[in-house]
Amino acid sequence: MKSSRRRFLQDGAILTGLVAGTVRSASGQTPGPGPENPAHRSAGFVSAMGERSRFEASARIWSDSSTGRVTSSRTPLQDSKGIITPSMLHFERHHARVPEIDPRRHRLLIHGLVDRPLIFTVAELERLPSISRIYFLECSGNSRNPRRGNAETAQQTHGMTSCSEWTGVPLSLLLQEAGVQREASWLVAEGADAAKMTRSIPLTKAMDDILVAYGQNGGALRPEQGYPLRLLIPGWEGNISIKWLRQIQVVDQPYMTREETSRYTDLLPDGRARQFTFEMDPKSVITFPSGGGNLPGPGFYEITGLAWSGRGAIRRVEVSTDGGANWQDAQLQEPVLRFAHTRFRFAWKWDGGEAVVQSRCIDEQGGFQPTVDELIRVRGTNYNYHHNHIQAWKINRDGSVRNALV
Amino acid sequence: MRWSDFLVMAVFVAVCAAAQAQSPAYGLGRTPSAEEIRAWDIAIGPEGKELPPGKGTAKEGATIYAARCAACHGQTGTEGPFNRLVGGQGTLNTNRPVKTVGSYWPFATTIWDYINRAMPVDNPGSLAPDQVYALTAFLLYRNSIIQETDVMDAASLPKVRMPNRNGFVPDPRPDWKAPVGGRN
């Protein structure tokens, strides 16, 4: 314990400059080293694949498990800029590890209630008319147990949401090629992971806006994100966007798979459970300043964060810096896109006293973020998914920032 | 809408119109053989129409369970280290709900489908249909849902009435209300 802490401090000493607060202070207080000849410190001319600066250490984190089975990792939201999550930092949630798939051998089979069953190679899918869209993906287990546990940072509380530009073929186009029959009403989508993860999807959503994606942020999907092929179902809980997609069966009813009965159903106080709770509720979180951070002293800060909704675009984000007594509109950074992260900003002067900062959003359907209490009142405490309560961060006089909900 | 988007939309609308006539617009992809479809077509719906031939009882399942499942789910299905598979009936409306195949799952067909596709974690897809029927029978028996000698097959399994069959309701969200008097 001691030695690992010492090691952490040593490693940390190199990285301290990365903590947002310290960087902000650096220019103002300590005189930096004099100008150097940049040629003397160059890493080289060119490279086949760029790497980030060695001074950058932003990384995904996960909780260790006594069984060694770690099934999720979280995006470092506190370091995020803009609305796009770097592909390498997109959160992960897998039920059976990350399969290694050779795209030349991968196939997508479409069958069931169709006139023409079809099997596609990835290369054939890439020949079809493509579209690119910026969408968030959020695990419906994100930010659960707001008052339990030891979640201190935005990464720990909200790190299972990420946002990418996804490129692929509309699923509706593939279904039209196959010719969907009249009795059809649902699809069963299956992944090529070891658990052959399966979910039922209403045909109406497929005909609306589901993507069969092979691209992420200008490149191929990352293996953790379903390489070479995945579903991207805008606004819906992450689990249903089947990764490593290999099969779509057109059927006439939901198939009641394990992931839509045992899991991803929401238990109510009376013992009944909600099923097929697809849409992600409107949600926002301040990413700076946020838990675990540090403000070096009173003065100007731009409060910033992310807002998103599975029911469309974000219309409005309000920020409070006095524990919820007063709320003011934050500025929404363009582009404000449907089913995408929206960046918000709020200029603030910290007077050095204790402060609680929080944000709340309203989406295009008028949906808004509840408090933890409002949510528990209707859903009880056995509800494991779809937590979209208002997150509050407390700033102490010494500048340290803590999760105000725990 | 930008021009490029507009063009994509226009082509897309044209394609949709073509598709309504139910003919392929692009002609890419090929027709899979019946054998190719059969190899991947393993999803079992709640009516169990797709269940393959084969059968098994809890007695047979107990042996397979001890050899291939107990290390991860416990000798009696309650000890872990991984998901508890037995017990929990009557706990769903308490502060400590225990969700298992016995207390929570609405369909017995899902047990068959899930064991067949995903278990055991160290070698999924390695169980023969008879073994999957036997393991399903074993879990149902240990959860007091069927008798030890009941034979599970394509006809009997879909008829098993799960205790929590009526435990699921549709999604009513948004389900929270603004405080009386609106928000400040």
Side-chain angles (χ1 to χ4, degrees):
Chain A
M1 183 66 207
K2 240 189 184 147
S3 72
S4 74
R5 181 168 164 77
R6 198 172 306 126
R7 244 197 66 197
F8 172 74
L9 288 176
Q10 281 167 2
D11 291 353
I14 306 169
L15 311 176
T16 325
L18 293 170
V19 177
T22 336
V23 164
R24 278 159 203 251
S25 75
S27 61
Q29 289 162 11
T30 34
E36 288 178 59
N37 181 345
H40 293 162
R41 300 188 50 79
S42 156
F45 284 102
V46 294
S47 56
M49 220 179 68
E51 278 187 34
R52 64 180 173 181
S53 159
R54 66 188 175 91
F55 302 107
E56 287 295 317
S58 190
R60 295 192 287 227
I61 54 165
W62 54 88
S63 310
D64 285 329
S65 150
S66 58
T67 61
R69 199 184 139 83
V70 180
T71 57
S72 63
S73 71
R74 293 166 176 267
T75 294
L77 292 181
Q78 67 279 7
D79 306 324
S80 64
K81 299 159 180 68
I83 60 172
I84 299 290
T85 309
S87 302
M88 63 184 173
L89 295 176
H90 192 295
F91 82 89
E92 301 169 89
R93 173 76 179 97
H94 329 297
H95 285 248
R97 298 171 189 252
V98 179
E100 190 184 73
I101 297 175
D102 178 348
R104 289 165 304 183
R105 301 188 52 197
H106 191 75
R107 299 286 182 274
L108 173 63
L109 170 67
I110 299 179
H111 69 113
L113 298 173
V114 294
D115 295 335
R116 293 171 296 279
L118 284 170
I119 193 161
F120 290 96
T121 63
V122 177
E124 283 167 337
L125 292 172
E126 288 178 350
R127 279 173 59 187
L128 289 166
S130 64
I131 57 173
S132 296
R133 292 284 184 274
I134 295 175
Y135 291 133
F136 78 82
L137 258 188
E138 182 183 19
C139 175
S140 52
N142 198 23
S143 51
R144 73 172 151 202
N145 300 341
R147 286 186 176 144
R148 270 178 278 160
N150 53 356
E152 192 57 64
T153 67
Q155 182 167 20
Q156 288 167 320
T157 59
H158 287 71
M160 292 181 83
T161 185
S162 298
C163 184
S164 298
E165 185 203 52
W166 307 95
T167 297
V169 191
L171 177 54
S172 57
L173 185 156
L174 300 179
L175 291 172
Q176 278 153 357
E177 288 293 286
V180 173
Q181 293 174 353
R182 193 162 294 131
E183 324 83 89
S185 53
W186 288 73
L187 314 174
V188 179
E190 184 194 75
D193 54 326
K196 300 181 213 72
M197 167 77 74
T198 323
R199 288 283 310 245
S200 306
I201 301 162
L203 184 60
T204 44
K205 181 72 171 171
M207 291 319 221
D208 184 14
D209 59 6
I210 296 179
L211 268 185
V212 173
Y214 44 77
Q216 179 182 6
N217 295 332
L221 291 176
R222 289 261 158 168
E224 315 95 272
Q225 294 312 320
Y227 182 83
L229 219 54
R230 75 169 303 161
L231 285 182
L232 203 294
I233 306 191
W236 286 17
E237 60 184 11
N239 175 264
I240 198 166
S241 282
I242 294 287
K243 294 184 284 192
W244 313 293
L245 179 73
R246 72 164 194 177
Q247 176 173 193
I248 287 171
Q249 187 179 353
V250 182
V251 294
D252 60 0
Q253 62 179 326
Y255 262 39
M256 303 294 173
T257 74
R258 184 249 185 181
E259 312 303 338
E260 58 211 24
T261 54
S262 171
R263 302 288 133 141
Y264 305 99
T265 48
D266 315 314
L267 193 55
L268 297 162
D270 67 4
R272 291 178 309 160
R274 293 177 182 166
Q275 193 180 24
F276 304 121
T277 45
F278 297 130
E279 288 167 354
M280 296 309 294
D281 292 315
K283 192 156 162 180
S284 72
V285 62
I286 292 174
T287 55
F288 179 87
S290 60
N294 193 66
L295 301 187
F300 177 82
Y301 293 91
E302 183 178 75
I303 295 176
T304 180
L306 294 167
W308 62 99
S309 170
R311 302 204 179 84
I314 292 296
R315 279 284 171 269
R316 185 174 179 188
V317 177
E318 295 166 290
V319 167
S320 169
T321 58
D322 57 7
N326 295 287
W327 294 86
Q328 283 171 276
D329 279 321
Q331 185 193 339
L332 301 189
Q333 171 69 58
E334 295 288 335
V336 177
L337 302 169
R338 304 188 79 220
F339 311 126
H341 281 175
T342 294
R343 173 65 62 177
F344 64 87
R345 309 177 187 287
F346 184 83
W348 182 50
K349 265 216 171 88
W350 182 40
D351 63 10
E354 274 185 8
V356 173
V357 299
Q358 50 198 321
S359 63
R360 65 185 189 194
C361 68
I362 299 176
D363 69 17
E364 65 176 54
Q365 306 210 15
F368 60 90
Q369 266 184 288
T371 63
V372 176
D373 289 335
E374 284 164 359
L375 212 52
I376 287 179
R377 207 171 299 139
V378 286
R379 297 179 177 179
T381 51
N382 290 339
Y383 211 93
N384 273 335
Y385 304 97
H386 296 288
H387 289 257
N388 69 325
H389 55 268
I390 295 170
Q391 174 66 43
W393 306 113
K394 181 175 179 206
I395 296 154
N396 298 308
R397 287 177 200 286
D398 65 0
S400 61
V401 189
R402 295 279 172 265
N403 185 350
L405 297 187
V406 295
Chain B
M1 189 182 278
R2 267 170 286 132
W3 249 111
S4 54
D5 278 359
F6 180 77
L7 280 177
V8 170
M9 278 296 288
V11 171
F12 195 68
V13 168
V15 168
C16 293
Q20 269 173 4
Q22 292 290 308
S23 62
Y26 301 99
L28 288 171
R30 68 172 169 81
T31 305
S33 69
E35 185 41 50
E36 279 174 314
I37 295 179
R38 211 169 16 242
W40 282 11
D41 188 6
I42 60 167
I44 309 294
E47 285 151 18
K49 288 176 294 196
E50 308 83 353
L51 282 166
K55 61 175 174 13
T57 63
K59 250 200 162 75
E60 293 151 6
T63 325
I64 310 166
Y65 180 87
R68 315 240 354 224
C69 322
C72 287
H73 293 290
Q75 285 308 319
T76 70
T78 58
E79 302 90 338
F82 294 114
N83 304 47
R84 188 172 164 170
L85 303 178
V86 171
Q89 288 180 34
T91 66
L92 295 182
N93 60 356
T94 69
N95 284 336
R96 291 186 178 280
V98 178
K99 297 186 209 166
T100 72
V101 292
S103 67
Y104 196 57
W105 292 31
F107 296 97
T109 44
T110 309
I111 311 176
W112 203 101
D113 176 273
Y114 186 67
I115 294 176
N116 182 53
R117 71 173 58 245
M119 289 295 135
V121 158
D122 44 12
N123 195 5
S126 63
L127 298 166
D130 282 350
Q131 293 177 303
V132 182
Y133 280 115
L135 285 164
T136 306
F138 175 72
L139 292 180
L140 290 169
Y141 165 64
R142 294 308 296 252
N143 279 292
S144 311
I145 296 167
I146 64 168
Q147 302 293 314
E148 192 170 15
T149 49
D150 287 350
V151 177
M152 288 295 112
D153 59 21
S156 60
L157 184 65
K159 295 204 191 91
V160 172
R161 183 92 191 153
M162 298 296 278
N164 199 38
R165 171 68 185 84
N166 294 325
F168 292 85
V169 295
D171 183 4
R173 292 174 306 151
D175 53 350
W176 62 91
K177 296 199 167 48
V180 181
R183 310 187 67 119
N184 62 346

